Amino acid sequence: MSATPAARAARRPVAALLFNAMIWGLTWWPMRALQARGMHPLWATAVIFALAVVAIGLWKPHAWRELATHPALWLILLAAGTTNACFNWGITAGDVVRVVLLFYLMPLWTVVLARLVLHEPVTRAALLRVALALAGAVLVLWPAEGQHLNRVQPIDLLGLLGGFSFACNNILLKRESARSEGGRGLAMFLGGALVSLVLTQVLAVSALPPLSAGWLPGVLGLALVYLASNLALQYGASRLPANVTAVIMLTEVLWAAGSALALGAGTLTLQLAMGGALIVAGAALAALRP
């Protein structure tokens, strides 16, 4: 029996969010393909997000004025830019499964930031989420020999910093909910371009490869995909309860881990699986709260 029009309409927001989660879960593959053509992930992020900024600026020109007159959007710019630079660099240079799991320590950071910025109370449920996230992080970072906690690797820091800045981004978006979608969207994409560009100069990353290296089609394609993903997120999130949206977005972990394991870009041990389960459980509890 075919679904009714109302049932099909109800499924569209879910499908949109699943599409968004799939894109970000699989984004490591095209980023590594660009790296194989000599393009550092920071350069790739800067160029891709710059193209998206041009598209948003032409589509919603009023967003430039809003960004210029509301300094709070500059904080979103910084947070979103740091998130994308760290995430794209981490999943390109490191073990995809490990980086994504560390990125999803967001419940830990969110509890702290919500208390400091939004003055939300720290409840028992929040402390439980923090405990789960911390226990999962210890298992993920603990060396295989299990003697002592090893020094955190630079790639691990990218996952941790990316998750922390993403939590900052979400808190700021909640605080600045009165701003238009165009203004917030422009701030996030412009942040991805500017922060990545600044890091290429500060870290003396190798120069942008010539067009003859064949990276332009991939960059244009990713810019279109990221824009479509952002539109899907806004469509789905505006039509579903926030807790439902958060649960659906957790499927990004499945897309990232499954594809990385299938294509040899990540490894999964029992210890890593246990740590990942605790981290995902903490994120799920945060998503399922009233």
Side-chain angles (χ1 to χ4, degrees):
M1 184 180 296
S2 61
T4 64
R8 288 194 296 269
R11 294 173 184 169
R12 288 171 191 154
V14 175
L17 291 179
L18 288 173
F19 171 75
N20 177 270
M22 179 189 70
I23 293 302
W24 285 103
L26 298 177
T27 193
W28 65 268
W29 180 75
M31 294 298 292
R32 292 194 176 197
L34 289 172
Q35 186 182 47
R37 287 169 171 76
M39 196 173 201
H40 192 280
L42 287 176
W43 273 117
T45 303
V47 176
I48 291 168
F49 278 70
L51 291 172
V53 166
V54 172
I56 294 176
L58 293 174
W59 182 32
K60 294 184 178 293
H62 69 275
W64 287 105
R65 185 181 302 107
E66 185 175 9
L67 178 61
T69 55
H70 291 87
L73 290 177
W74 305 346
L75 295 177
I76 294 177
L77 181 152
L78 180 60
T82 304
T83 297
N84 287 287
C86 290
F87 182 78
N88 286 342
W89 190 3
I91 59 174
T92 304
D95 184 297
V96 175
V97 178
R98 185 179 174 100
V99 171
V100 169
L101 288 177
L102 292 174
F103 183 83
Y104 267 89
L105 282 172
M106 288 180 294
L108 187 159
W109 312 125
T110 301
V111 169
V112 177
L113 291 168
R115 175 60 181 169
L116 295 175
V117 178
L118 302 177
H119 307 293
E120 292 184 1
V122 179
T123 63
R124 291 181 180 178
L127 291 176
L128 175 59
R129 297 195 299 271
V130 169
L132 288 172
L134 283 174
V138 169
L139 284 174
V140 170
L141 295 173
W142 201 269
E145 57 273 14
Q147 297 300 318
H148 59 279
L149 190 60
N150 204 2
R151 182 173 60 87
V152 177
Q153 302 173 4
I155 297 299
D156 295 332
L157 291 176
L158 290 176
L160 291 169
L161 180 57
F164 175 77
S165 56
F166 191 38
C168 292
N169 180 73
N170 293 341
I171 292 292
L172 291 168
L173 285 175
K174 183 176 181 180
R175 194 183 72 173
E176 301 303 319
S177 58
R179 305 278 75 81
S180 72
E181 290 184 351
R184 287 178 293 168
L186 180 62
M188 288 188 286
F189 276 104
L190 185 60
L194 290 180
V195 171
S196 298
L197 181 61
V198 169
L199 287 176
T200 63
Q201 305 306 306
V202 172
L203 301 177
V205 172
S206 56
L208 188 68
L211 289 176
S212 58
W215 53 264
L216 184 58
V219 164
L220 290 173
L222 269 180
L224 291 175
V225 168
Y226 281 174
L227 281 171
S229 175
N230 183 266
L231 290 174
L233 175 62
Q234 294 191 42
Y235 176 84
S238 65
R239 288 165 174 79
L240 292 173
N243 59 335
V244 176
T245 296
V247 171
I248 294 173
M249 293 306 297
L250 278 176
T251 58
E252 179 187 335
V253 177
L254 301 179
W255 282 107
S259 60
L261 293 174
L263 298 176
T267 57
L268 185 65
T269 63
L270 177 60
Q271 178 179 319
L272 186 63
M274 292 173 61
L278 290 173
I279 291 172
V280 172
L285 283 178
L288 293 171
R289 67 178 181 174

